[in-house]
Amino acid sequence: PIPCVPWQSQTSGQYQRRVHGGLKIVFARSPYRAKGLLLSSIRDPDPVLFFEPKRLYRASVEDVPTDDYTLPLGVGEIVETGSDITVVAWGAQVLEVQKAAALVKEKLGRSVEIIDLQSVVPWDQELVEQSVRKTGRLVVTHEAPITGGFAERLYRP
């Protein structure tokens, strides 16, 4: 076994986003994304906390180009298009959401739009709002503690 922190709630990412003061916070969901986001993080003039969920080391296999490339920070990605509900996630949680979305489609015949934020600070508010206008529903899933997680930032009663 590899000694590591097994849960995202045991990392500092969720706590740092509350005291960021210009700090950017990035989470990769795959090897390809990790390389592109890491190169962007290194080249960014502002400080960046970059998180690679350790479970992706054992769970994710993907071709990664040897060429230099970057992915923009603060820009989310629609991983799967859907029309019935929007689910927002980041990091390794995106893989769990994809599994759940497949079950929802198979068992309920509903389509789920999955958004990977990739950066929680800054986060792609415009992309999330456009998707929610389309689907009319939003679920935010993350591995943070119930209180103080990023989902609180999205909830405005």
Side-chain angles (χ1 to χ4, degrees):
I2 298 171
C4 64
V5 177
W7 312 112
Q8 192 66 35
S9 61
Q10 293 174 316
T11 70
S12 61
Q14 298 304 321
Y15 303 105
Q16 296 294 340
R17 69 126 194 110
R18 286 182 265 153
V19 291
H20 61 85
L23 186 66
K24 295 178 180 178
I25 302 174
V26 178
F27 289 85
R29 77 170 186 266
S30 70
Y32 177 85
R33 297 258 156 223
K35 180 180 176 181
L37 291 168
L38 182 59
L39 289 174
S40 293
S41 298
I42 291 167
R43 294 171 183 160
D44 197 274
D46 295 320
V48 179
L49 283 178
F50 181 86
F51 290 90
E52 284 183 303
K54 288 183 181 181
R55 72 180 183 172
L56 289 182
Y57 294 154
R58 295 178 294 277
S60 194
V61 177
E62 184 177 43
D63 288 330
V64 178
T66 56
D67 296 340
D68 188 281
Y69 66 93
T70 58
L71 298 173
L73 303 180
V75 178
E77 178 190 18
I78 296 176
V79 177
E80 292 182 24
T81 58
S83 58
D84 295 311
I85 190 166
T86 299
V87 179
V88 173
W90 53 90
Q93 191 68 10
V94 174
L95 304 175
E96 299 304 317
V97 170
Q98 287 179 296
K99 292 175 194 172
L103 281 173
V104 167
K105 185 170 186 149
E106 177 188 327
K107 303 283 184 188
L108 303 175
R110 303 285 183 175
S111 66
V112 178
E113 181 140 297
I114 301 172
I115 295 177
D116 177 3
L117 285 183
Q118 303 184 112
S119 301
V120 294
V121 176
W123 63 285
D124 195 342
Q125 184 174 349
E126 183 178 325
L127 179 66
V128 173
E129 287 176 354
Q130 287 173 355
S131 179
V132 172
R133 276 195 284 282
K134 179 175 81 171
T135 66
R137 296 173 182 86
L138 172 66
V139 170
V140 179
T141 176
H142 56 83
E143 298 173 322
I146 293 171
T147 303
F150 182 72
E152 283 185 334
R153 187 176 211 166
L154 298 177
Y155 175 72
R156 295 184 189 125

